[in-house]
Amino acid sequence: MGKDTPRAIVDAEMKARARAQAKEQQQAEIDLMSTLQCDTPLYDDFVGDFLSAYSDKNCKPTATIARKFCDTWPIPRQPTETASEAQREIRVGIMDSSFNPPHYCHGALMECLGTMELAAADGGGCAARVLDIDAFLLLLGSENADKRHAGASLEQRMRMVDMLATTISQDTSADTWHVWKCREQFDRSNLHNLAIGMVNTPRFVDKCTAVREAVRREWHAQVGGPAEEEGPRVLCYFAMGWDTLIRFFDPKYYADYAEEIRGFFANGGRIAYARRGGISDADVAEFFGRPDIRGHLGCIFELMLPKRVRHISSTDVRLAVRDSTQSVRDIPPRILEFVNNCRLYRAPGKKVWTS
């Protein structure tokens, strides 16, 4: 290119080359995700068997593990405590959702739970600390207290949950959505010790019971011993948004509100909530000032979501897919490709979004 070439032309050509390179890199990422998606199991039989066995309204709360991404789950391969202590107590970080579809904020909530220093909401003077979660669980609910299933089927959602779990537990690239800062922090978090499953009850007090039993079953499978042995104490840290926290403490969902709430926390239930939508400190203080909540604040923690994921919701992702807007970037590429291939959430005649 001659020295007399106008600067504007040079700039335009450089920008064009940069766009072409970015498009090639983007396509390479999509091709890679296509390959990874082929490794995602089909969940038709698992979902069908689960609904057949546990969909009856009188069935006891049950959680069933569909896939473990670490073969020792729920026991970490490198426990942060001594072996005897690890067997005495297992801390499980749980993201329970309808996953319609899964998105980066779901993943960020799990990563915050595994890597962030947290202090209890009672302000009892204990320093904030990483909770040393031993195992993580993405849990798809077959029932929801306020929502009806629409859009993706449960089988399709389980496949997308699998893809999100793969992204959380195995994608250790320096992607901008990750909460952890370095590979060492990821390894210390036990985020690789992840499983996915389904639960048949909409209430967290019942989900806590179901998860405890599922974890103890898996613990027995790992360490052996008599089946009637109770096993370790299981602490269930449920990650949730502020709206879900409000519903948790709504008496309309309980036959005996005070007793069931007390039982949830007494039996190992914990809450890690995240604020979104302009909830102020005054709003939090007012809500936590309720007499029925004050006594439980030692078991409630706040997760500080990064700004880059705080806005994401499944509703907005569905609308973005429907309208083919840039907000579709709020879900991992492999999930976006699955959504496109299955034409989920799509308005008739709308193009697919691929970048």
Coordinates of all heavy atoms in Angstrom, one line a residue, residues 53-137:
A53 N -42.3 -41.6 38.2 CA -42.1 -42.0 39.6 C -42.5 -41.0 40.6 O -43.0 -41.4 41.7 CB -40.7 -42.5 39.8
Y54 N -42.3 -39.7 40.3 CA -42.4 -38.7 41.4 C -43.4 -37.5 41.1 O -43.3 -36.5 41.8 CB -41.0 -38.1 41.7 CG -40.0 -39.2 42.0 CD1 -38.9 -39.4 41.2 CD2 -40.1 -40.0 43.1 CE1 -37.9 -40.4 41.5 CE2 -39.2 -41.0 43.4 CZ -38.1 -41.2 42.6 OH -37.2 -42.1 42.9
S55 N -44.2 -37.6 40.1 CA -45.1 -36.5 39.8 C -46.4 -36.5 40.6 O -47.1 -35.5 40.6 CB -45.4 -36.5 38.3 OG -46.1 -37.7 37.9
D56 N -46.7 -37.6 41.3 CA -47.9 -37.6 42.1 C -47.8 -36.5 43.2 O -46.8 -36.4 43.9 CB -48.1 -39.0 42.7 CG -49.4 -39.1 43.4 OD1 -49.5 -38.6 44.6 OD2 -50.3 -39.7 42.8
K57 N -48.9 -35.8 43.4 CA -49.0 -34.7 44.4 C -48.7 -35.2 45.8 O -48.2 -34.4 46.6 CB -50.3 -34.0 44.3 CG -50.6 -33.3 43.0 CD -49.6 -32.2 42.7 CE -50.0 -31.4 41.4 NZ -49.0 -30.4 41.1
N58 N -49.0 -36.5 46.1 CA -48.8 -37.0 47.4 C -47.4 -37.7 47.6 O -47.1 -38.2 48.6 CB -49.9 -38.0 47.7 CG -51.3 -37.4 47.7 OD1 -51.4 -36.3 48.2 ND2 -52.3 -38.1 47.2
C59 N -46.6 -37.6 46.5 CA -45.3 -38.2 46.6 C -44.4 -37.4 47.5 O -44.5 -36.1 47.5 CB -44.7 -38.3 45.2 SG -43.1 -39.2 45.1
K60 N -43.5 -38.0 48.2 CA -42.6 -37.3 49.1 C -41.6 -36.4 48.3 O -41.3 -36.8 47.2 CB -41.9 -38.2 50.1 CG -40.8 -39.0 49.5 CD -40.0 -39.8 50.5 CE -38.8 -40.5 49.9 NZ -38.0 -41.1 50.9
P61 N -41.1 -35.3 48.9 CA -40.1 -34.5 48.2 C -38.9 -35.4 47.8 O -38.3 -36.1 48.6 CB -39.7 -33.5 49.2 CG -40.9 -33.4 50.2 CD -41.5 -34.8 50.2
T62 N -38.5 -35.4 46.5 CA -37.5 -36.2 46.0 C -36.6 -35.4 45.0 O -37.1 -34.7 44.2 CB -38.1 -37.4 45.3 OG1 -38.9 -38.2 46.2 CG2 -37.0 -38.3 44.8
A63 N -35.3 -35.6 45.2 CA -34.3 -35.0 44.2 C -33.5 -36.2 43.7 O -33.1 -37.1 44.5 CB -33.4 -34.0 44.9
T64 N -33.4 -36.2 42.4 CA -32.6 -37.3 41.7 C -31.5 -36.8 40.9 O -31.7 -35.8 40.2 CB -33.6 -38.2 40.9 OG1 -34.6 -38.7 41.7 CG2 -32.8 -39.3 40.2
I65 N -30.3 -37.3 41.0 CA -29.2 -36.8 40.3 C -29.2 -37.4 38.9 O -29.3 -38.6 38.7 CB -27.9 -37.2 41.0 CG1 -27.9 -36.7 42.4 CG2 -26.6 -36.7 40.2 CD1 -28.0 -35.2 42.6
A66 N -29.0 -36.6 37.9 CA -29.0 -37.0 36.5 C -27.6 -37.2 36.0 O -27.4 -38.2 35.2 CB -29.7 -35.9 35.6
R67 N -26.7 -36.4 36.4 CA -25.3 -36.6 35.9 C -24.4 -35.9 36.9 O -24.7 -34.8 37.5 CB -25.1 -35.9 34.6 CG -23.7 -36.1 34.0 CD -23.5 -35.4 32.6 NE -22.2 -35.6 32.1 CZ -21.7 -34.9 31.0 NH1 -22.5 -34.1 30.4 NH2 -20.5 -35.2 30.6
K68 N -23.2 -36.6 37.2 CA -22.2 -36.0 38.1 C -21.0 -35.6 37.2 O -20.5 -36.5 36.4 CB -21.8 -37.0 39.1 CG -22.9 -37.4 40.1 CD -22.4 -38.2 41.2 CE -22.0 -39.6 40.8 NZ -21.7 -40.5 41.9
F69 N -20.5 -34.4 37.3 CA -19.4 -34.0 36.5 C -18.1 -34.2 37.2 O -17.0 -33.9 36.6 CB -19.5 -32.5 36.2 CG -20.6 -32.2 35.2 CD1 -22.0 -32.3 35.6 CD2 -20.3 -32.0 33.9 CE1 -23.0 -32.0 34.6 CE2 -21.3 -31.7 32.9 CZ -22.6 -31.8 33.3
C70 N -18.1 -34.8 38.4 CA -16.9 -35.2 39.1 C -17.4 -36.6 39.7 O -18.4 -36.7 40.4 CB -16.5 -34.2 40.2 SG -15.1 -34.7 41.2
D71 N -16.6 -37.6 39.5 CA -17.0 -39.0 39.9 C -17.1 -39.2 41.4 O -17.7 -40.2 41.8 CB -16.2 -40.0 39.2 CG -14.7 -39.9 39.5 OD1 -14.3 -39.1 40.4 OD2 -13.9 -40.6 38.9
T72 N -16.5 -38.3 42.2 CA -16.6 -38.5 43.6 C -17.7 -37.6 44.2 O -17.9 -37.6 45.5 CB -15.3 -38.1 44.3 OG1 -15.0 -36.7 44.0 CG2 -14.2 -39.0 43.8
W73 N -18.5 -36.9 43.4 CA -19.6 -36.0 44.0 C -20.4 -36.8 44.9 O -20.8 -38.0 44.7 CB -20.4 -35.5 42.8 CG -21.4 -34.4 43.2 CD1 -21.1 -33.1 43.1 CD2 -22.7 -34.5 43.8 NE1 -22.2 -32.3 43.6 CE2 -23.2 -33.2 44.0 CE3 -23.5 -35.6 44.2 CZ2 -24.4 -33.0 44.6 CZ3 -24.7 -35.4 44.7 CH2 -25.2 -34.1 44.9
P74 N -20.8 -36.3 46.1 CA -20.6 -34.9 46.6 C -19.3 -34.7 47.4 O -19.1 -33.6 47.9 CB -21.8 -34.7 47.5 CG -22.0 -36.1 48.1 CD -21.7 -37.1 47.1
I75 N -18.5 -35.7 47.5 CA -17.2 -35.5 48.3 C -16.2 -35.0 47.4 O -15.9 -35.6 46.3 CB -16.8 -36.9 48.9 CG1 -17.9 -37.5 49.8 CG2 -15.5 -36.7 49.7 CD1 -17.6 -38.9 50.2
P76 N -15.6 -33.8 47.7 CA -14.5 -33.3 46.9 C -13.3 -34.1 46.9 O -13.0 -34.8 47.9 CB -14.3 -31.9 47.5 CG -14.7 -32.0 48.9 CD -15.8 -33.0 48.9
R77 N -12.6 -34.2 45.8 CA -11.4 -35.0 45.7 C -10.3 -34.4 46.6 O -9.5 -35.2 47.1 CB -10.9 -34.9 44.2 CG -11.7 -35.8 43.3 CD -11.2 -35.7 41.9 NE -12.0 -36.6 41.0 CZ -12.0 -36.5 39.7 NH1 -11.3 -35.5 39.1 NH2 -12.7 -37.3 38.9
Q78 N -10.3 -33.1 46.8 CA -9.3 -32.5 47.7 C -10.1 -31.7 48.7 O -10.2 -30.5 48.6 CB -8.4 -31.6 46.9 CG -7.5 -32.4 46.0 CD -6.5 -31.5 45.2 OE1 -6.8 -30.3 45.0 NE2 -5.4 -32.0 44.9
P79 N -10.7 -32.4 49.7 CA -11.5 -31.7 50.7 C -10.7 -30.6 51.5 O -9.5 -30.8 51.7 CB -12.0 -32.8 51.7 CG -11.0 -33.9 51.5 CD -10.6 -33.8 50.0
T80 N -11.4 -29.5 51.8 CA -10.7 -28.5 52.6 C -10.6 -28.8 54.0 O -9.9 -28.1 54.8 CB -11.5 -27.2 52.4 OG1 -12.9 -27.4 52.9 CG2 -11.5 -26.7 51.0
E81 N -11.2 -29.8 54.5 CA -11.2 -30.2 55.9 C -10.5 -31.6 56.0 O -10.2 -32.2 55.0 CB -12.6 -30.3 56.5 CG -13.3 -28.9 56.3 CD -14.8 -29.1 56.6 OE1 -15.4 -30.1 56.1 OE2 -15.4 -28.3 57.3
T82 N -10.3 -32.1 57.2 CA -9.8 -33.5 57.4 C -10.9 -34.5 56.9 O -12.1 -34.1 56.8 CB -9.5 -33.7 58.8 OG1 -10.7 -33.7 59.6 CG2 -8.5 -32.7 59.4
A83 N -10.5 -35.7 56.6 CA -11.4 -36.7 56.1 C -12.6 -36.9 57.1 O -13.7 -37.0 56.7 CB -10.7 -38.0 55.9
S84 N -12.3 -37.0 58.4 CA -13.3 -37.2 59.4 C -14.3 -36.0 59.4 O -15.5 -36.2 59.5 CB -12.7 -37.4 60.8 OG -12.0 -36.3 61.2
E85 N -13.8 -34.8 59.3 CA -14.7 -33.6 59.3 C -15.5 -33.6 58.0 O -16.7 -33.2 58.0 CB -13.9 -32.4 59.5 CG -13.3 -32.2 60.9 CD -12.4 -31.0 60.9 OE1 -11.7 -30.7 59.9 OE2 -12.3 -30.4 62.0
A86 N -14.9 -33.9 56.9 CA -15.6 -33.9 55.6 C -16.8 -34.9 55.6 O -17.8 -34.7 55.0 CB -14.6 -34.3 54.5
Q87 N -16.6 -36.0 56.3 CA -17.7 -37.0 56.4 C -18.7 -36.6 57.4 O -19.9 -37.0 57.3 CB -17.1 -38.4 56.8 CG -16.2 -39.0 55.8 CD -15.7 -40.4 56.2 OE1 -16.1 -40.9 57.2 NE2 -14.8 -40.9 55.4
R88 N -18.3 -35.7 58.4 CA -19.3 -35.3 59.4 C -20.2 -34.2 58.8 O -21.4 -34.1 59.2 CB -18.5 -34.7 60.6 CG -19.4 -34.1 61.7 CD -18.6 -33.6 62.8 NE -17.6 -32.6 62.4 CZ -17.9 -31.3 62.1 NH1 -19.1 -30.9 62.3 NH2 -16.9 -30.5 61.7
E89 N -19.8 -33.4 57.9 CA -20.6 -32.3 57.3 C -20.2 -32.1 55.9 O -19.1 -32.0 55.5 CB -20.3 -31.0 58.2 CG -21.2 -29.8 57.7 CD -21.0 -28.7 58.7 OE1 -21.6 -28.6 59.7 OE2 -20.1 -27.8 58.4
I90 N -21.2 -31.9 55.1 CA -21.0 -31.6 53.6 C -21.8 -30.4 53.3 O -23.0 -30.3 53.6 CB -21.5 -32.8 52.7 CG1 -20.6 -34.0 52.9 CG2 -21.4 -32.4 51.3 CD1 -20.9 -35.2 52.1
R91 N -21.2 -29.4 52.8 CA -21.8 -28.1 52.3 C -22.1 -28.2 50.8 O -21.2 -28.4 50.0 CB -21.0 -26.9 52.7 CG -20.6 -26.8 54.1 CD -19.8 -25.5 54.4 NE -19.5 -25.3 55.8 CZ -18.3 -25.7 56.3 NH1 -17.4 -26.2 55.5 NH2 -18.0 -25.5 57.5
V92 N -23.4 -28.0 50.5 CA -23.8 -28.1 49.1 C -24.3 -26.8 48.6 O -25.3 -26.2 49.2 CB -24.8 -29.2 48.9 CG1 -25.1 -29.4 47.4 CG2 -24.3 -30.5 49.4
G93 N -23.8 -26.2 47.6 CA -24.3 -25.0 46.9 C -25.3 -25.3 45.8 O -24.9 -26.1 44.9
I94 N -26.5 -24.8 45.9 CA -27.6 -25.2 45.1 C -28.1 -24.1 44.3 O -28.5 -23.0 44.8 CB -28.7 -25.9 45.9 CG1 -28.1 -27.0 46.7 CG2 -29.8 -26.4 45.0 CD1 -29.0 -27.3 48.0
M95 N -28.2 -24.2 43.0 CA -28.9 -23.3 42.1 C -30.2 -24.0 41.6 O -30.1 -24.9 40.8 CB -28.1 -22.9 40.9 CG -28.7 -21.9 39.9 SD -28.9 -20.2 40.6 CE -30.7 -20.2 40.9
D96 N -31.3 -23.7 42.2 CA -32.6 -24.3 41.9 C -33.4 -23.3 41.0 O -33.5 -22.1 41.3 CB -33.4 -24.6 43.1 CG -34.9 -24.9 42.8 OD1 -35.1 -26.1 42.5 OD2 -35.7 -24.0 42.8
S97 N -33.8 -23.8 39.8 CA -34.5 -22.9 38.9 C -35.3 -23.6 37.9 O -35.2 -24.9 37.8 CB -33.4 -22.0 38.1 OG -34.0 -21.2 37.2
S98 N -36.1 -22.9 37.1 CA -36.8 -23.5 36.0 C -36.0 -23.6 34.8 O -36.3 -24.2 33.8 CB -38.1 -22.8 35.7 OG -37.9 -21.4 35.5
F99 N -34.9 -22.8 34.8 CA -33.9 -22.8 33.7 C -34.5 -22.8 32.3 O -34.4 -23.6 31.5 CB -33.0 -24.1 33.8 CG -32.1 -24.1 35.0 CD1 -32.4 -25.1 36.0 CD2 -31.1 -23.2 35.2 CE1 -31.5 -25.1 37.1 CE2 -30.3 -23.3 36.3 CZ -30.5 -24.2 37.3
N100 N -35.2 -21.7 32.1 CA -36.0 -21.5 30.8 C -35.7 -20.2 30.1 O -36.6 -19.4 29.9 CB -37.5 -21.5 31.2 CG -38.4 -21.7 30.0 OD1 -38.0 -22.3 29.0 ND2 -39.6 -21.2 30.1
P101 N -34.4 -20.1 29.6 CA -33.3 -21.1 29.6 C -32.3 -20.7 30.7 O -32.4 -19.7 31.3 CB -32.7 -20.8 28.2 CG -32.9 -19.4 28.0 CD -34.2 -19.0 28.6
P102 N -31.3 -21.6 30.9 CA -30.1 -21.2 31.7 C -29.3 -20.1 31.1 O -29.3 -19.9 29.9 CB -29.3 -22.5 31.8 CG -30.2 -23.6 31.2 CD -31.1 -22.9 30.3
H103 N -28.7 -19.3 32.0 CA -28.0 -18.1 31.4 C -26.8 -17.8 32.3 O -26.6 -18.5 33.4 CB -28.9 -16.9 31.3 CG -29.7 -16.6 32.5 ND1 -29.2 -16.2 33.7 CD2 -31.1 -16.6 32.7 CE1 -30.1 -16.0 34.6 NE2 -31.3 -16.3 34.0
Y104 N -26.0 -16.8 32.0 CA -24.8 -16.5 32.7 C -25.0 -16.1 34.1 O -24.1 -16.3 35.0 CB -24.0 -15.4 32.0 CG -23.2 -15.9 30.8 CD1 -23.3 -15.2 29.6 CD2 -22.4 -17.0 30.8 CE1 -22.6 -15.6 28.4 CE2 -21.8 -17.5 29.7 CZ -21.9 -16.7 28.5 OH -21.2 -17.2 27.4
C105 N -26.1 -15.5 34.5 CA -26.4 -15.1 35.8 C -26.6 -16.4 36.7 O -26.1 -16.4 37.9 CB -27.6 -14.2 35.9 SG -27.8 -13.4 37.6
H106 N -27.2 -17.4 36.2 CA -27.2 -18.7 37.0 C -25.8 -19.2 37.3 O -25.6 -19.5 38.4 CB -28.0 -19.7 36.1 CG -29.4 -19.5 36.0 ND1 -30.1 -19.6 34.8 CD2 -30.4 -19.2 36.9 CE1 -31.4 -19.4 34.9 NE2 -31.6 -19.2 36.2
G107 N -25.0 -19.1 36.3 CA -23.6 -19.6 36.6 C -22.9 -18.7 37.5 O -22.1 -19.1 38.4
A108 N -23.1 -17.3 37.4 CA -22.4 -16.4 38.3 C -22.9 -16.6 39.7 O -22.1 -16.4 40.7 CB -22.7 -15.0 37.8
L109 N -24.1 -16.9 40.0 CA -24.6 -17.1 41.3 C -23.9 -18.3 42.0 O -23.5 -18.2 43.1 CB -26.1 -17.4 41.3 CG -27.0 -16.1 41.2 CD1 -28.5 -16.6 40.8 CD2 -27.0 -15.3 42.4
M110 N -23.7 -19.3 41.2 CA -22.9 -20.5 41.7 C -21.5 -20.1 42.0 O -20.9 -20.5 43.0 CB -23.0 -21.6 40.7 CG -24.4 -22.2 40.5 SD -25.0 -23.1 42.0 CE -24.3 -24.7 41.7
E111 N -20.9 -19.4 41.1 CA -19.5 -19.0 41.3 C -19.3 -18.0 42.5 O -18.3 -18.1 43.2 CB -18.9 -18.4 40.0 CG -18.8 -19.4 38.9 CD -18.0 -18.9 37.7 OE1 -17.5 -17.8 37.7 OE2 -17.8 -19.8 36.8
C112 N -20.3 -17.1 42.7 CA -20.2 -16.2 43.8 C -20.3 -17.1 45.1 O -19.5 -16.8 46.1 CB -21.4 -15.3 43.8 SG -21.2 -13.9 42.6
L113 N -21.2 -18.1 45.1 CA -21.3 -18.9 46.3 C -20.0 -19.7 46.6 O -19.7 -19.9 47.8 CB -22.5 -19.9 46.1 CG -23.1 -20.7 47.2 CD1 -23.5 -19.7 48.4 CD2 -24.2 -21.5 46.8
G114 N -19.3 -20.0 45.6 CA -18.1 -20.8 45.7 C -16.8 -20.0 46.0 O -15.9 -20.6 46.6
T115 N -16.8 -18.7 45.6 CA -15.6 -18.0 45.7 C -15.6 -16.7 46.5 O -14.6 -16.2 46.9 CB -15.1 -17.6 44.3 OG1 -16.1 -16.7 43.7 CG2 -15.0 -18.8 43.3
M116 N -16.8 -16.2 46.8 CA -16.9 -14.9 47.5 C -16.9 -15.0 49.0 O -17.3 -16.0 49.6 CB -18.3 -14.3 47.1 CG -18.5 -12.9 47.6 SD -20.1 -12.2 46.9 CE -19.6 -12.0 45.1
E117 N -16.2 -14.0 49.6 CA -16.3 -14.0 51.1 C -17.6 -13.4 51.5 O -18.0 -12.3 51.1 CB -15.1 -13.1 51.6 CG -13.7 -13.7 51.3 CD -12.6 -12.8 52.0 OE1 -12.9 -11.7 52.3 OE2 -11.5 -13.3 52.1
L118 N -18.3 -14.2 52.4 CA -19.7 -13.8 52.7 C -19.8 -13.7 54.3 O -19.1 -14.4 55.0 CB -20.7 -14.9 52.3 CG -20.7 -15.2 50.7 CD1 -21.6 -16.3 50.4 CD2 -21.0 -13.9 50.0
A119 N -20.6 -12.8 54.7 CA -20.9 -12.6 56.1 C -22.4 -12.8 56.3 O -23.2 -12.4 55.4 CB -20.5 -11.2 56.6
A120 N -22.8 -13.4 57.4 CA -24.2 -13.6 57.7 C -24.9 -12.2 57.9 O -24.3 -11.2 58.3 CB -24.4 -14.4 59.0
A121 N -26.2 -12.2 57.5 CA -27.0 -11.0 57.5 C -27.3 -10.4 58.9 O -27.8 -9.3 59.1 CB -28.3 -11.2 56.8
D122 N -27.0 -11.2 60.0 CA -27.3 -10.7 61.3 C -26.2 -9.8 61.8 O -26.4 -9.2 62.9 CB -27.5 -11.9 62.3 CG -26.2 -12.8 62.4 OD1 -25.2 -12.5 61.7 OD2 -26.2 -13.7 63.2
G123 N -25.1 -9.6 61.1 CA -24.1 -8.7 61.5 C -23.5 -9.1 62.9 O -23.2 -8.2 63.7
G124 N -23.4 -10.4 63.1 CA -23.0 -10.9 64.5 C -21.5 -10.7 64.8 O -21.1 -11.2 65.8
G125 N -20.8 -10.0 64.0 CA -19.4 -9.7 64.3 C -18.4 -10.7 63.7 O -17.2 -10.5 63.7
C126 N -18.9 -11.8 63.1 CA -18.0 -12.8 62.4 C -17.5 -12.2 61.1 O -18.3 -11.6 60.3 CB -18.7 -14.1 62.2 SG -19.2 -15.0 63.7
A127 N -16.2 -12.3 60.8 CA -15.7 -11.8 59.6 C -16.2 -12.5 58.4 O -16.5 -13.7 58.5 CB -14.1 -11.9 59.7
A128 N -16.3 -11.8 57.3 CA -16.7 -12.5 56.1 C -15.7 -13.5 55.7 O -14.5 -13.3 55.8 CB -16.9 -11.4 55.0
R129 N -16.2 -14.6 55.1 CA -15.3 -15.7 54.7 C -15.9 -16.5 53.6 O -17.1 -16.5 53.3 CB -15.0 -16.7 55.9 CG -16.3 -17.3 56.4 CD -16.0 -18.2 57.6 NE -17.3 -18.9 58.0 CZ -17.7 -20.0 57.5 NH1 -17.1 -20.6 56.6 NH2 -18.8 -20.6 58.0
V130 N -15.0 -17.2 52.8 CA -15.5 -18.1 51.8 C -16.1 -19.3 52.5 O -15.6 -19.8 53.5 CB -14.3 -18.6 50.9 CG1 -14.8 -19.6 49.9 CG2 -13.7 -17.4 50.2
L131 N -17.3 -19.7 52.1 CA -18.0 -20.7 52.8 C -17.5 -22.2 52.7 O -18.0 -23.1 53.3 CB -19.5 -20.7 52.4 CG -20.2 -19.4 52.7 CD1 -21.6 -19.4 52.1 CD2 -20.3 -19.1 54.2
D132 N -16.5 -22.4 51.9 CA -15.9 -23.7 51.7 C -17.0 -24.7 51.3 O -17.1 -25.8 51.9 CB -15.2 -24.2 52.9 CG -13.9 -23.4 53.2 OD1 -13.3 -22.9 52.3 OD2 -13.6 -23.2 54.4
I133 N -17.7 -24.4 50.2 CA -18.7 -25.3 49.7 C -18.0 -26.5 49.1 O -17.0 -26.4 48.4 CB -19.5 -24.6 48.6 CG1 -20.2 -23.4 49.1 CG2 -20.5 -25.6 48.0 CD1 -21.3 -23.6 50.1
D134 N -18.5 -27.7 49.5 CA -17.8 -29.0 49.1 C -18.3 -29.4 47.7 O -17.5 -30.0 46.9 CB -18.2 -30.1 50.1 CG -17.6 -29.8 51.5 OD1 -16.4 -29.6 51.6 OD2 -18.4 -29.7 52.4
A135 N -19.6 -29.2 47.4 CA -20.2 -29.7 46.2 C -21.3 -28.7 45.7 O -21.8 -28.0 46.5 CB -20.7 -31.1 46.4
F136 N -21.5 -28.8 44.4 CA -22.5 -27.9 43.8 C -23.5 -28.7 43.1 O -23.3 -29.8 42.6 CB -21.8 -26.9 42.9 CG -20.9 -25.9 43.6 CD1 -19.6 -26.3 43.9 CD2 -21.4 -24.7 44.0 CE1 -18.8 -25.4 44.6 CE2 -20.5 -23.8 44.7 CZ -19.2 -24.2 45.0
L137 N -24.7 -28.1 43.0 CA -25.9 -28.8 42.4 C -26.7 -27.9 41.6 O -27.2 -26.9 42.2 CB -26.7 -29.6 43.4 CG -27.9 -30.3 43.0 CD1 -27.6 -31.4 42.0 CD2 -28.7 -30.8 44.2

